Amino acid sequence: MVKYIDYDTEHIDPGNTFGPFVHKRLSFAYEQEVRAIIVKHPASHPLDSEETIKHGLEISVDIEILIEHINVSPSAPSWFAD
């Protein structure tokens, strides 16, 4: 789950590689967002590779199981939820 913090009073641990990917501003806390992080290393040379992922990875998911509900920003216009 994403951790929502006040960037004026809290900081992301610089020693945590995933920190920037799992933190958001406190003002987005209503979202209750969950993120998946996939780390892909080549089997032969995990840390020394020329392999580049240019357009992301396609991951199969069952959207009916993955999404329980969708939260729309309370400041969004009324038509947005439709």
Side-chain angles (χ1 to χ4, degrees):
M1 176 145 337
V2 171
K3 183 176 180 184
Y4 300 93
I5 63 172
D6 179 347
Y7 285 108
D8 292 330
T9 60
E10 298 177 80
H11 302 283
I12 298 171
D13 176 7
N16 181 349
T17 303
F18 298 112
F21 303 104
V22 296
H23 288 83
K24 285 180 83 169
R25 293 189 184 287
L26 196 54
S27 60
F28 292 103
Y30 68 90
E31 293 178 339
Q32 295 299 296
E33 182 178 341
V34 176
R35 294 181 177 181
I37 298 173
I38 298 170
V39 178
K40 183 174 186 262
H41 292 291
S44 57
H45 300 284
L47 299 177
D48 182 27
S49 173
E50 294 180 16
E51 180 182 0
T52 300
I53 301 169
K54 294 184 181 191
H55 301 290
L57 297 173
E58 187 171 322
I59 306 295
S60 296
V61 297
D62 183 337
I63 202 160
E64 298 293 328
I65 293 172
L66 184 65
I67 298 175
E68 292 179 10
H69 61 273
I70 297 172
N71 292 322
V72 177
S73 170
S75 61
S78 58
W79 58 264
F80 191 81
D82 293 335

